[in-house]
Amino acid sequence: MSNAENILQNKQLSEDSRHQRLSRLLARPDIWQAANGVSPENSRRGITTGYAALDALLAGRGWPRGATTELLVNQSGVGEMSLLLPALAEMTRREQMVVLVNPPFIPYAPALASAGVQLEKLLILHPRGHKDELWAVEQSLQSGCCGALLSWQGRQAPVDKDLRRLQLAAREGDCSHFHFRPASTATSPSPASLRLGLASDGEQLAVKLLKQLGGRSGQQLHLARNPDLTRRDRPLH
Amino acid sequence: MLWLCLQFPKLPLEVLTRAQRDGDRKTAQAVVEEQLIVDANRPAAERGVETGLTIATACALCADLQLLQRDTRREEQQLQQLAQWGYSFTPVVSPQAAGSIDAGDNRFACLYLELSGCLKASGGLQPLLQQLKRELRQMRISTFMGLGHSPSAARMLSQLPEHRQWLRETGTPPTAQQWRQWISFCPSKLLDCDNKTIAKLYACGIKRVSQLLAIPLSEVGSRFGRGFVDYLARLNGGRHDPVPSYTPPPEFHNELFFPSPLDNSEQLLFPAGRLVRELCQQLQRRQLYSQQLRWKLDFGKRGCKVFSVETSRPLLDPQRLIALTRLQLERLTLEQPIQALTLTCDRLHPLDQQALDDDLFGENTALQRSHQLLDRLQARLGHEALSGVTLRESHLPEQAWASADTLVLQSGRNRKGHQLNPVNAPRPTWLLQRPDKLQSREHRLFYRGEIKLLQGPERIDGYWWQHGRHGRDYYIARGEEGGLYWVFQDLTSEDWYLQGIYS
């Protein structure tokens, strides 16, 4: 083989490896590619939410994988859990664990089962104290065996450093972390890759995209609630 | 038959100081019983403290000598432990306890192992002896050994320095002819009989066993008694030499004692690791596993503290067990200094192949990781912090679910049988711990503002045959801010309650 050929081949090889490295870098969820827009092959596929209208707005066509999603909601009852239930049910069917850390009320088994959640894969944690809670969340996120982890902000708001750590843990364990926080935290910065503000708009659930890594934000979306619930009977009183 | 005799000359000292780190071994320590020194460690021995001195003399020789009371109960436990360890090599094991000092009997504790059946499995005599020595060194137990065709011969030869030297180098077990030569070569003082008999032997001019064997047995019998003749016959192989056989108990129990009490849970990690490693070795050899490790922290006279480490699956990896123990220890606050640490596993189960998680090819790793996660969470947060939910068959909404043990999580897929189906009606995702009473004024209901009923009623009437009747009309209601609630009116009291939230 001549010298020139050799050099040419080497050059090609190094270009190949550089290209590989670049594509690996671009595949990272925390790299925002503004120029390319949102195309399915460039962004990581998310976990489908079960709501086509919401999927269309999200960068990965679904909930981001291995990242924190913040759901800002002031009052439970607006339909925030039913937003997640289709994705959670899908995960439990795929034998992935779903962990609920300090849920505000009792997760009601009949409702979850009829939504398709495999109850055996559901783990509910009630750690005592803020420190234990953070530890448990981090451990579960890192473990790599959980599909999703839902946590609720307690009395003590987690500091920015902790949120960053949880985001990293979620990426490490490839687990979707859904963090419920009060709407008042919308103005404070957060490392989460997706932030949604949830509120009720009369009969519908109003979803507002506050922040989205690798995608546009600021859109509003109205999702109808289960018609079985909102159907109005003849008023009694 | 090929008997190995392991003698433990320093057992009284070692059971008390085994848990110490290397740094603590510089202080001079001695074990005392009845005002006499039984044994001393190296720094003490270098300054002239030796077995048989009185405490006063020893303290005069070495002013900062730390005196430890001899604990024969602990020695016995340790010997049982060693027998269990020996059982992992050969099924024929016999421990023999040390003689007590006040009876004038200074025999060391020893362990007899019958090796002829296990030479092949261990790769020959020398590799086996090396392994035994290495593991005893790891356990911090010093020993010397002798090999013989009967337990008595093995015991006598273990005391002969030339035999020990030979044992270090030999690769094959000796022939019957060689045994006789070794026995004949022994000085008579090594015979296992009382001091009076030995004095008598020397008075007769019998300095070696060979001289004794040259005398006709009938004459030996008339001079030294029938028991002595019996002993000689057993020594020579002319008669059976029975030793009590040992059968291991179906549990693991081991204890480490700290001569200077520990007051920090960090310091416990090192001795705990030693116990866990011994447990894992033991379990692996006997193909057993334990799901619960019970630790006991002994505060001496001030009581004790017990905690347990549970694993959801059979686990034989000492590193992981130590990590789980560490999580538990971090939660503890020690009010008292600890004098001893005990590890007990009283329920050992036989290991079957499917049960073990450590798959060679790394399959099923997700399941394995979820077991590890559960163990970790359980160790730090406590058993009660983990739960699952299951369905239950009941008309009453608050009884249609049950809090499940986390173990249900595991067996979920394999469980067969009756499958419960949830009710086919919209049910709330959140249930309140107990129904919250609603304010009602002039036919209007209030919960964080006024709420309006949308649907209903759905009547659930349960337990009407019992004393406390539960008759309720359920409605779906909407609050001012748009939240959907599940409320009911009690039919007997006509009060309104909030029971669930359609979240």
Side-chain angles (χ1 to χ4, degrees), chain B residues 463-481:
Chain B
Y463 301 100
W464 47 264
W465 59 91
Q466 276 183 1
H467 182 65
R469 181 187 168 189
H470 294 276
R472 297 164 180 179
D473 276 344
Y474 277 89
Y475 299 86
I476 297 173
R478 178 180 287 136
E480 259 176 14
E481 288 171 44

Side-chain angles (χ1 to χ4, degrees), chain A residues 129-162:
Chain A
H130 187 60
K131 233 171 139 184
D132 268 3
E133 183 182 331
L134 281 177
W135 178 86
V137 172
E138 193 184 9
Q139 288 288 323
S140 313
L141 286 174
Q142 271 174 354
S143 70
C145 55
C146 303
L149 183 137
L150 279 63
S151 61
W152 282 263
Q153 177 173 319
R155 246 165 288 156
Q156 201 176 341
V159 290
D160 192 52
K161 196 180 71 184
D162 293 334

Side-chain angles (χ1 to χ4, degrees), chain B residues 121-193:
Chain B
S122 319
L125 183 63
Q126 204 55 32
L128 176 62
L129 293 180
Q130 294 294 347
Q131 194 184 355
L132 289 170
K133 271 187 208 153
R134 193 172 53 241
E135 288 190 11
L136 280 171
R137 209 176 308 128
Q138 274 171 7
M139 284 191 264
R140 293 252 162 92
I141 304 276
S142 51
T143 183
F144 57 83
M145 23 179 129
L147 202 63
H149 56 109
S150 70
S152 313
R155 185 183 156 76
M156 189 172 76
L157 290 175
S158 69
Q159 284 160 312
L160 188 69
E162 289 89 347
H163 177 79
R164 297 208 294 256
Q165 181 60 37
W166 168 82
L167 195 59
R168 239 167 265 146
E169 289 152 9
T170 187
T172 49
T175 59
Q177 187 62 33
Q178 272 173 308
W179 291 131
R180 299 242 167 72
Q181 281 174 2
W182 278 120
I183 291 168
S184 314
F185 182 71
C186 279
S188 336
K189 65 175 177 192
L190 294 185
L191 288 171
D192 187 19
C193 48

Side-chain angles (χ1 to χ4, degrees), chain B residues 74 77 253-256 258 275 294-298 307 340-344:
Chain B
R74 230 181 268 282
Q77 274 176 7
H253 180 91
N254 205 353
E255 186 176 60
L256 282 179
F258 309 115
L275 285 176
R294 276 224 318 274
W295 292 95
K296 189 171 130 195
L297 308 174
D298 201 340
F307 65 91
L341 177 70
T342 315
L343 172 61
T344 314

